[in-house]
Amino acid sequence: MNRERDYVLGTHDEEIERLGLQHRVWRPRALEAWRNAGFTTGQTIADIGCGPGYASIDLAEIAGPNGRVVAIDRSRRFLDALESSAAQRGLHNIDVFEADLDEDALPELKVDGLWVRWVFAFMKHPQELLAKVIRLLKPGGTIVIHEYFDYATWGFAPRSEVFETFVTAVMKSWREGGGEPDIGLMLPQWLGEYGLKIHSVRPIVDVITPRSFVWQWPKTFVAVGVNRLVDIGRITADEARAIHDAFAERERAAHTLMITPAVLEIIARAE
Ligand SMILES: C[S@@+](CC[C@H](N)C(=O)[O-])C[C@H]1O[C@@H](n2cnc3c(N)ncnc32)[C@H](O)[C@@H]1O
């Protein structure tokens, strides 16, 4: 029986690889955010929409043997990948929990920290999810969020119109799946309404050349994402080829710059 529950970006092996590369690019920023939030040894931290759990593994190393990480996702394939990497590393402080974050109740936890990255953007009911996860926080507990707030910043300098059609198609596919790519614009207000105190908010946007390691993150998204858009019937094979060509042409061109999709980092505390 196939119990796998897919979503707009898919849960196939290439996507598991891509999420690993993405986490390696973003890890310094995640570590910095967690440090600013006060995540430390002995704590219980929930990774909401953990995917294959690349961040969960780092969080488990920070929480240490006296702390624990609860990793929640809807994809059984992703959770299996996380359990197998935790076993390979000899980490025994990660509990995985399979749940649909839009539909299901969450486990009854009391946590010191919550980590949510690139998850609210895919929810049909993001505000309800925020309310559900906030209820898990102990008084004084902290939520750290990385979500896009202006996905359409993603592009080249100078502009590539073909590439912009890809970014538009991605945003449209997320919206048609019930999500909102720029959900970061709503989260600070909702956090305030739910009584959390904003500790810090900052934008993260990079302007990079093909020599930057950060370049590999959008590059792999294009490599996997263009084909995904063909598979789910959003663009044609010809359009896909044109996007791959436009990306490759910019990568080869002298003096190319890419601007990354704008992420909002929010750190907020329960009173
Ligand atoms: C872009 S990935 C981010 C994964 C991880 N947070 C990270 O930063 O690597 C989005 C994740 O949300 C999960 N997801 C999407 N819709 C979901 C839902 N309704 N319930 C639970 N998880 C969901 C997917 O399975 C996927 O793991």
Side-chain angles (χ1 to χ4, degrees):
M1 187 174 88
N2 184 3
R3 294 171 51 232
E4 180 55 10
R5 291 187 284 178
D6 211 347
Y7 79 118
V8 66
L9 296 184
T11 58
H12 47 292
D13 289 349
E14 266 189 308
E15 177 63 4
I16 293 180
E17 284 287 309
R18 186 193 73 79
L19 288 167
L21 182 281
Q22 175 170 261
H23 181 66
R24 288 191 287 285
V25 168
W26 275 83
R27 180 187 271 136
R29 258 122 184 198
L31 292 172
E32 194 188 342
W34 300 339
R35 187 165 306 177
N36 289 337
F39 287 5
T40 186
T41 306
Q43 291 183 334
T44 298
I45 300 169
D47 185 350
I48 307 295
C50 59
Y54 298 102
S56 316
I57 300 267
D58 286 342
L59 287 166
E61 283 171 348
I62 291 170
N66 297 326
R68 91 181 166 117
V69 169
V70 182
I72 306 175
D73 204 279
R74 184 175 70 170
S75 162
R76 191 64 249 170
R77 292 197 84 226
F78 282 173
L79 295 176
D80 289 346
L82 166 54
E83 285 186 312
S84 100
S85 20
Q88 271 170 23
R89 286 171 173 76
L91 285 168
H92 303 293
N93 59 345
I94 303 180
D95 296 322
V96 308
F97 191 86
E98 189 181 332
D100 186 318
L101 296 167
D102 258 334
E103 309 291 338
D104 301 339
L106 297 180
E108 289 195 11
L109 301 166
K110 280 292 160 205
V111 305
D112 304 282
L114 289 166
W115 165 241
V116 198
R117 179 174 62 183
W118 296 315
V119 174
F120 287 110
F122 300 103
M123 293 296 120
K124 294 186 182 73
H125 312 294
Q127 190 171 2
E128 285 82 344
L129 174 61
L130 186 65
K132 278 196 283 195
V133 299
I134 282 172
R135 280 199 288 275
L136 307 180
L137 276 178
K138 294 178 188 168
T142 307
I143 180 167
V144 181
I145 301 173
H146 280 175
E147 291 284 344
Y148 298 112
F149 72 101
D150 189 0
Y151 197 82
T153 56
W154 190 15
F156 290 99
R159 303 178 92 122
S160 161
E161 278 177 27
V162 173
F163 190 72
E164 284 170 17
T165 62
F166 169 63
V167 173
T168 305
V170 171
M171 294 178 74
K172 191 160 179 265
S173 71
W174 294 10
R175 287 186 175 130
E176 285 175 7
E180 170 47 52
D182 295 338
I183 195 67
L185 293 174
M186 294 309 300
L187 294 166
Q189 179 183 326
W190 292 340
L191 285 161
E193 286 171 2
Y194 291 137
L196 272 79
K197 198 163 181 316
I198 303 283
H199 170 275
S200 61
V201 192
R202 66 171 181 135
I204 307 178
V205 185
D206 287 311
V207 181
I208 47 177
T209 72
R211 288 177 298 286
S212 164
F213 178 45
V214 176
W215 185 277
Q216 299 304 314
W217 162 51
K219 180 178 175 149
T220 51
F221 186 85
V222 172
V224 179
V226 169
N227 299 339
R228 175 75 180 169
L229 287 176
V230 176
D231 289 346
I232 62 177
R234 306 275 172 181
I235 59 171
T236 65
D238 284 348
E239 287 166 335
R241 210 163 307 114
I243 295 161
H244 282 305
D245 289 351
F247 192 93
E249 185 260 312
R250 285 309 168 97
E251 194 171 55
R252 280 192 309 269
H255 315 302
T256 295
L257 292 176
M258 190 200 295
I259 298 108
T260 58
V263 168
L264 197 64
E265 174 180 290
I266 309 169
I267 303 180
R269 200 149 282 149
E271 305 273 74

